[in-house]
Amino acid sequence: FGGQMMGGMATRSLKLDEGKGVAFYTFDDIPSANLFITDWYSRLNELDLTDKQKEEIVDEANLVFDLNIGILEELDGSAAGAFWSLIWSTMKEKIGL
């Protein structure tokens, strides 16, 4: 899901041709991102992890989030503005505006 959002943001912000320059965010072998994410979280929750390992996973996820925010800021100048722009654009696309 996050990758799809980042790919969409990059495409719109950089005015890229559809599918060009965002292959990193394309997952052709995953037919449903929602099912994949649900399954992934279920499997993660089933792991027998120590508290330290859980903390390391959360720390890593936070780092990735911070890095993605940095990318959005570079693309749009403002992470909040970029995120809002992406949401608004996606909503308009979904309802056909």
Side-chain angles (χ1 to χ4, degrees), residues 15-82:
K15 297 177 177 43
L16 301 173
D17 290 335
E18 188 65 33
K20 301 292 183 182
V22 292
F24 180 76
Y25 300 115
T26 302
F27 307 100
D28 293 331
D29 293 336
I30 299 174
S32 169
N34 288 338
L35 289 176
F36 178 84
I37 291 168
T38 300
D39 182 55
W40 189 86
Y41 278 114
S42 291
R43 291 174 186 228
L44 182 63
N45 288 332
E46 291 171 3
L47 295 175
D48 185 25
L49 301 172
T50 66
D51 286 343
K52 182 175 182 345
Q53 290 171 316
K54 291 175 186 177
E55 184 177 326
E56 289 171 349
I57 290 171
V58 170
D59 288 346
E60 186 74 14
N62 285 332
L63 173 61
V64 170
F65 181 76
D66 287 342
L67 293 172
N68 282 330
I69 291 295
I71 290 170
L72 289 172
E73 287 174 341
E74 284 186 31
L75 291 175
D76 199 55
S78 160

Side-chain angles (χ1 to χ4, degrees), residues 1 4 12 86-97:
F1 178 71
Q4 292 171 331
R12 288 189 260 302
L86 175 62
I87 290 172
W88 182 248
S89 175
T90 301
M91 285 176 48
K92 289 192 321 187
E93 183 180 305
K94 295 291 182 190
I95 61 174
L97 293 179

